[in-house]
């Protein structure tokens, strides 16, 4: 019963996401009129049914409904209530459903908060955000459905992985998802800003709260995750440069750079295009991290999946997203005066940003280089703390001083 209900709600959510894209596109023809109440109503319904999808899966865990394959594989009747709840997102399918709920939540909140903002900008933001939502709903339904049935129905479940049964890890994924999935909204807003020409200070004022919120949650998520890894896995430190740890750190560097830049853009023009690039890169790196974690190409204690079809879908989606972003940027990016005085605020912010980009590239290379080396030469290597410490430390100390 719950399985059929969950699948029904997923299908309704897909229809609502598609409808929002269609009606928002049609609404662009009537740009001088107020936004149609129909779009707001569809957004509310989308939020309700996405939450219902998650609630149905949660009920499956709470009542140990082992007719659902996902519940059977990640819970059992004797499991404490906390770990029954955290088991919902302690696996690939459930965590992907949580990911989608965060996408929908940020889409709805952005729409409601900016209902009086430039109409064209808001509608195009909604279109891009719902294309992302629709893409991940299709991914859920085709390769990662948490509502798949199992027959005959087992009497008992397999239980949750013991190392995931920890209070810190129970809150780590939701915090992290609110961080890097939240970056989707200013990715969509950045592309919309270019097309609608809603740029400069206006874009900075609209985007700043969302950058700050995602940065705060990302920071808390990383902190809680590193504490869990320290005492649960005994890695000898709060940060062990595990590839999956790195996949959450990479967008955090970009969020830092972006927030500093937006504070400047809010006061004066000159770095608008740089802010747009950072907004696009942040979510792009978040999806890249998702690909690394869920494709099975990383060897880590907390990767989610080892299914090539899932990795292929995310890779295709990521490629389409990157190519579309590059096309929109080069087609719609305005000319901008980028000449700054030496020792001006802009100069120091850009210097700060380039430090962050250097850290990002260092961590990205250390994370993906072993993958490429194994593909090309079949040689397996592990890159650990000595590489990162020797490269980052000489630059980190001066940055902190500056």
């Amino acid at each position: 019963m719950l399985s059929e209900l969950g699948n029904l709600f997923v299908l309704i959510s897909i229809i609502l996401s598609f409808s929002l894209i269609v009606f928002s596109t049609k609404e662009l023809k009537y740009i001088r009129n107020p936004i149609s109440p129909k779009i707001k109503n569809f957004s509310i319904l989308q939020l309700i049914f996405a939450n219902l999808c998650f609630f149905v899966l949660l009920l499956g865990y709470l009542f140990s409904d082992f007719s659902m394959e996902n519940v059977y594989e990640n819970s059992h009747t004797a499991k404490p209530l906390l770990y029954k709840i955290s088991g919902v997102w302690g696996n690939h399918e459930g965590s992907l459903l949580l990911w989608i709920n965060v996408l929908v939540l940020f889409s709805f909140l952005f729409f409601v908060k900016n209902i009086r903002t430039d109409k064209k900008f808001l509608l195009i933001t909604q279109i891009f955000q719902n294309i992302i939502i629709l893409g991940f709903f299709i991914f859920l339904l085709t390769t990662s459905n948490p509502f798949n049935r199992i027959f005959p129905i087992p009497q008992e479940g397999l239980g949750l992985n013991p190392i995931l049964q920890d209070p810190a890890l129970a809150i780590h994924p939701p915090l992290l998802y609110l961080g890097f999935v939240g970056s989707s909204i200013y990715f969509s807003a950045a592309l919309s800003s270019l097309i609608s020409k809603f740029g400069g200070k206006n874009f900075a004022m609209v985007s700043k709260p969302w950058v700050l919120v995602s940065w705060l949650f990302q920071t808390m998520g990383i902190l809680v995750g590193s504490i869990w890894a320290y005492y649960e896995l005994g890695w000898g430190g709060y940060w062990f440069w595990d590839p999956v740890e790195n996949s959450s750190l990479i967008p955090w560097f970009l969020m830092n750079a972006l927030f500093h830049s937006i504070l400047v853009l809010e006061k004066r023009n000159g770095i608008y295009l740089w802010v747009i690039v950072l907004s696009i890169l942040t979510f792009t790196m978040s999806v890249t991290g998702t690909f690394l974690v869920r494709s099975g190409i990383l060897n880590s204690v907390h990767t989610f999946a080892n299914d090539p079809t899932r990795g292929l879908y995310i890779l295709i989606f990521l490629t389409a997203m990157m190519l579309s972003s590059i096309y929109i940027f080069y087609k719609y990016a305005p000319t901008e005066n980028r000449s700054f005085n030496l020792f001006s605020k802009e100069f120091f912010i850009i210097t700060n940003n380039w430090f962050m980009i250097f850290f990002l590239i260092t961590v990205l290379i250390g994370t993906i280089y072993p993958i490429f080396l194994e593909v090309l030469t079949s040689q397996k290597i592990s890159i650990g703390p000595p590489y990162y410490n020797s490269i980052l430390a000489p630059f980190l100390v001066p940055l902190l001083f500056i």
Side-chain angles (χ1 to χ4, degrees):
M1 178 63 182
L2 286 177
S3 179
E4 287 78 6
L5 203 57
N7 282 317
L8 175 63
F9 290 154
V10 168
L11 288 172
I12 293 173
S13 298
I14 289 174
I15 293 169
L16 289 169
S17 301
F18 182 76
S19 300
L20 274 168
I21 295 170
V22 172
F23 286 119
S24 296
T25 304
K26 287 183 177 179
E27 187 75 7
L28 287 170
K29 297 177 183 177
Y30 312 101
I31 205 67
R32 295 186 179 180
N33 299 340
I35 289 181
S36 169
K38 185 185 297 183
I39 295 178
K40 184 177 180 180
N41 293 336
F42 271 105
S43 296
I44 294 171
L45 287 172
Q46 182 190 45
L47 181 68
I48 290 171
F49 278 98
N51 286 335
L52 283 173
C53 292
F54 190 81
F55 184 67
V56 167
L57 185 61
L58 177 62
L59 285 179
Y61 275 82
L62 292 176
F63 293 102
S64 298
D65 184 358
F66 298 128
S67 67
M68 294 163 61
E69 186 178 4
N70 185 264
V71 178
Y72 163 71
E73 291 178 347
N74 298 283
S75 185
H76 63 66
T77 52
K79 199 54 74 184
L81 179 62
L82 174 63
Y83 302 131
K84 282 188 176 183
I85 295 173
S86 63
V88 177
W89 54 76
N91 58 87
H92 167 71
E93 294 82 3
S95 65
L96 183 60
L97 187 56
L98 177 61
W99 166 293
I100 292 170
N101 270 263
V102 175
L103 283 173
V104 172
L105 175 65
F106 273 82
S107 177
F108 174 77
L109 292 177
F110 186 88
F111 180 80
V112 171
K113 188 176 186 300
N114 298 291
I115 192 74
R116 301 187 186 280
T117 311
D118 181 84
K119 181 179 179 180
K120 186 176 181 181
F121 166 73
L122 185 58
L123 287 173
I124 297 175
T125 302
Q126 280 291 101
I127 291 168
F128 281 122
Q129 186 72 5
N130 276 282
I131 289 172
I132 297 170
I133 291 168
L134 185 62
F136 277 97
F137 260 125
I138 293 171
F139 179 43
L140 181 88
L141 194 62
T142 54
T143 70
S144 313
N145 192 344
F147 302 110
N148 284 338
R149 289 183 61 83
I150 185 171
F151 189 83
I153 300 173
Q155 294 298 311
E156 190 55 89
L158 299 178
L160 186 64
N161 188 332
I163 65 171
L164 302 181
Q165 297 178 38
D166 183 273
L169 203 71
I171 60 171
H172 165 64
L175 289 173
L176 211 56
Y177 287 6
L178 286 166
F180 66 73
V181 180
S183 66
S184 64
I185 196 64
Y186 45 88
F187 167 86
S188 300
L191 297 179
S192 174
S193 171
L194 291 170
I195 296 172
S196 63
K197 304 191 185 309
F198 182 81
K201 297 177 183 179
N202 292 325
F203 175 73
M205 292 175 66
V206 167
S207 300
K208 187 178 78 170
W210 308 99
V211 177
L212 179 59
V213 166
S214 65
W215 179 87
L216 285 171
F217 281 113
Q218 184 83 352
T219 303
M220 289 189 291
I222 289 173
L223 180 64
V224 171
S226 65
I227 292 171
W228 164 79
Y230 174 62
Y231 67 72
E232 184 69 36
L233 302 176
W235 280 347
Y238 285 103
W239 195 268
F240 198 67
W241 301 105
D242 177 75
V244 177
E245 283 185 318
N246 294 349
S247 68
S248 63
L249 183 64
I250 289 169
W252 183 84
F253 286 135
L254 290 165
M255 289 176 190
N256 271 293
L258 176 58
F259 188 66
H260 283 88
S261 298
I262 273 188
L263 291 175
V264 173
L265 182 62
E266 196 176 22
K267 303 296 182 185
R268 66 194 78 183
N269 293 318
I271 58 171
Y272 166 65
L273 291 182
W274 177 239
V275 167
I276 293 294
V277 169
L278 289 175
S279 299
I280 293 171
L281 277 178
T282 302
F283 185 60
T284 301
M285 287 295 106
S286 297
V287 178
T288 302
T290 303
F291 166 70
L292 294 174
V293 172
R294 296 174 189 270
S295 63
I297 65 174
L298 283 182
N299 182 23
S300 170
V301 71
H302 51 332
T303 50
F304 272 116
N306 193 22
D307 185 346
T309 58
R310 294 170 178 172
L312 182 61
Y313 184 97
I314 299 175
L315 186 60
I316 293 171
F317 187 84
L318 175 62
T319 303
M321 195 175 77
M322 291 172 63
L323 292 176
S324 302
S325 301
I326 293 169
Y327 172 77
I328 291 170
F329 183 85
Y330 279 102
K331 183 175 181 180
Y332 293 100
T335 55
E336 186 176 43
N337 179 20
R338 301 185 186 87
S339 58
F340 305 129
N341 295 325
L342 195 63
F343 302 120
S344 65
K345 275 189 176 181
E346 291 89 347
F347 173 79
F348 282 112
I349 288 293
I350 294 297
T351 303
N352 163 285
N353 284 190
W354 281 111
F355 268 109
M356 291 295 170
I357 296 299
F358 170 74
F359 297 154
L360 180 152
I361 292 171
T362 301
V363 175
L364 185 62
I365 290 173
T367 304
I368 65 174
Y369 176 72
I371 300 170
F372 285 103
L373 186 67
E374 184 177 354
V375 170
L376 296 173
T377 67
S378 298
Q379 180 184 355
K380 291 187 178 183
I381 64 167
S382 176
I383 295 180
Y387 160 78
Y388 296 101
N389 294 341
S390 61
I391 295 179
L392 295 181
F395 294 92
L396 188 59
V397 174
L399 173 67
L400 293 173
F401 177 77
I402 291 171

